[in-house]
Amino acid sequence: MSRMPRRIGTARFGGLRTAAGRLRHGWRPVLEATGAATAAWLLATRLLGHPQPFFAPAAALIVLGQARGQRVHRAVEVILGVAAGVLVADLVVQALGPGSTWTVGTVILLTVLLAVAFGATGVTLVQAAVSALYLVVVAPPDGSLVPFRFVDALVGGAVALAVSLLVDARHPLAPLVAEVRRTFDELAGLLGSIAAALDQGDEAAALAALRQARGMDARVDGLRDGVLAAGEALRLHVRRRRHIGRLRSVDESIRQIDYAVRNVRVLARAGVTLSRLHTSTPPELGVALRCLAEAVRQAGAALAADLDGHDETADEHARRADESALAAVHTAGQLFGATQALPLAMIIGQVRATAIDLLRGVNPEDDVAVLARVDDALGLPPL
């Protein structure tokens, strides 16, 4: 019984620590949304003199709630959605009167039909319906011909875009660089965890590594979103558009990194199987996996340096990634014939595949040469 309060206290402390970690990494979007919504409200009330500019902060929050890289498109959708909802609500309320069940149903039906007919996405469709419903139930039109609510939505969308622009003004590529570093560091750490689990024959640790590997797809998606966001930020900065070419090279690399993540997931699955055999694992396997982890770190550093415009540094990291990846393949290749265990053979194959995709990601134009160097390191005859 005495252990129960201790466990509860530990769980609460763990929950607080998790919440603190989330706030530490997510404070910027919180301040960004708060500042944009407040600024939109002030502009609509103080500058334009609108009495109840609900849609100004609402539109700002909706636009900022979208993923970076889609905000210009979403801002246009939100404004059009509000306009459609306001138009339908005005017409229906004048015809049927405010507040009745028939009015509510008719407004929602016509608004959704209109949005679908114009090919609206889910965000625009919902925003149009909510705008119309708000006008019918909460604030019925007063017969004024001035489109206050449409203007409020325009103000909110414009403020949201301006805040996004200011946040990324000095370093538009910084969020993408940070995402690159986090993704490659996590993938390298995962390979280190697999190596440690196999060294110790620890099935529980191997299973934990496999669960982590299954979550790496979210990191790759984060990289893709980061490229979209950086592209939007650069397009909004006329003087920085010359950097868009760097994004194209990173975009090509992400495809290969996606393949590498899948290979590591297969490798982790084979590691679980191997750990269940309860046989000694050759120490060279752990060495190979740690070399591969170092190659991942160097590849991430190369991409980050390339995005920062440090070409010489990027080339040096790419060279180190090449050396570490080939060393991993060479070390793993020495294990062929030492055992007939199928999981071990699968891991060796995935080391080779991961090295190929990793080096192709760092050097997209060196496709054939990468394959030749990796197979040479493995001891295979040239094609």
Side-chain angles (χ1 to χ4, degrees):
M1 293 294 293
S2 61
R3 294 182 180 179
M4 186 65 68
R6 182 179 301 176
R7 291 180 179 177
I8 294 175
T10 302
R12 288 177 177 174
F13 179 76
L16 291 175
R17 186 168 53 187
T18 300
R22 290 171 179 168
L23 289 175
R24 187 170 60 253
H25 292 94
W27 65 270
R28 287 184 61 181
V30 172
L31 292 182
E32 185 179 340
T34 303
T38 304
W41 173 271
L42 289 174
L43 284 175
T45 54
R46 303 291 177 82
L47 184 62
L48 302 180
H50 292 182
Q52 293 179 328
F54 168 81
F55 288 109
L61 291 174
I62 292 171
V63 172
L64 289 177
Q66 307 306 314
R68 290 184 180 272
Q70 304 176 14
R71 290 182 173 176
V72 174
H73 178 65
R74 294 305 189 202
V76 175
E77 286 192 347
V78 168
I79 293 168
L80 293 179
V82 171
V86 169
L87 176 62
V88 170
D90 277 336
L91 295 176
V92 173
V93 168
Q94 290 179 12
L96 302 179
S100 69
T101 303
W102 282 108
T103 301
V104 172
T106 303
V107 164
I108 294 176
L109 175 63
L110 293 179
T111 304
V112 172
L113 286 176
L114 182 63
V116 171
F118 281 94
T121 63
V123 173
T124 305
L125 190 149
V126 171
Q127 182 60 29
V130 170
S131 302
L133 191 60
Y134 175 83
L135 293 179
V136 173
V137 177
V138 180
D142 56 4
S144 173
L145 297 178
V146 179
F148 287 119
R149 289 156 179 117
F150 175 77
V151 175
D152 290 339
L154 180 62
V155 169
V159 168
L161 293 179
V163 169
S164 296
L165 187 64
L166 290 174
V167 168
D168 298 329
R170 294 188 61 185
H171 303 289
L173 293 179
L176 177 58
V177 171
E179 189 66 34
V180 167
R181 295 187 185 279
R182 281 194 296 268
T183 300
F184 280 81
D185 286 347
E186 185 170 330
L187 184 60
L190 171 59
L191 285 166
S193 298
I194 297 172
L198 293 178
D199 286 344
Q200 301 169 10
D202 190 339
E203 181 182 344
L207 284 169
L210 177 58
R211 286 192 293 271
Q212 183 182 353
R214 288 169 175 166
M216 283 300 301
D217 288 337
R219 281 297 184 195
V220 177
D221 292 339
L223 280 178
R224 293 194 179 98
D225 292 340
V227 170
L228 290 175
E232 182 178 74
L234 290 177
R235 283 189 292 272
L236 293 174
H237 289 78
V238 178
R239 296 181 180 178
R240 299 179 184 268
R241 288 182 180 177
R242 64 183 184 277
H243 297 302
I244 291 180
R246 298 185 186 276
L247 285 184
R248 295 193 182 99
S249 64
V250 173
D251 200 23
E252 289 293 326
S253 299
I254 290 176
R255 184 186 310 167
Q256 297 300 143
I257 302 309
D258 188 15
Y259 295 152
V261 166
R262 297 179 190 182
N263 291 329
V264 172
R265 186 164 57 243
V266 176
L267 190 155
R269 192 177 298 118
V272 172
T273 304
L274 185 60
S275 68
R276 288 174 175 170
L277 296 179
H278 301 294
T279 58
S280 59
T281 302
E284 293 82 2
L285 185 59
V287 173
L289 292 178
R290 290 183 176 90
C291 285
L292 192 60
E294 179 61 21
V296 170
R297 290 191 184 93
Q298 294 297 331
L303 287 178
D306 182 58
L307 285 170
D308 281 333
H310 302 149
D311 294 337
E312 293 183 2
T313 304
D315 291 340
E316 177 61 22
H317 284 299
R319 183 188 64 78
R320 293 177 183 177
D322 191 285
E323 291 178 352
S324 297
L326 294 181
V329 173
H330 178 73
T331 304
Q334 302 306 305
L335 299 175
F336 270 129
T339 179
Q340 299 299 319
L342 179 60
L344 180 57
M346 292 177 63
I347 290 175
I348 295 170
Q350 291 306 314
V351 168
R352 171 185 178 272
T354 304
I356 291 173
D357 289 325
L358 197 62
L359 296 184
R360 283 175 173 171
V362 175
N363 300 296
E365 299 176 357
D366 201 17
D367 196 356
V368 177
V370 164
L371 183 60
R373 292 202 308 277
V374 169
D375 284 346
D376 180 67
L378 193 61
L380 296 178
L383 296 176

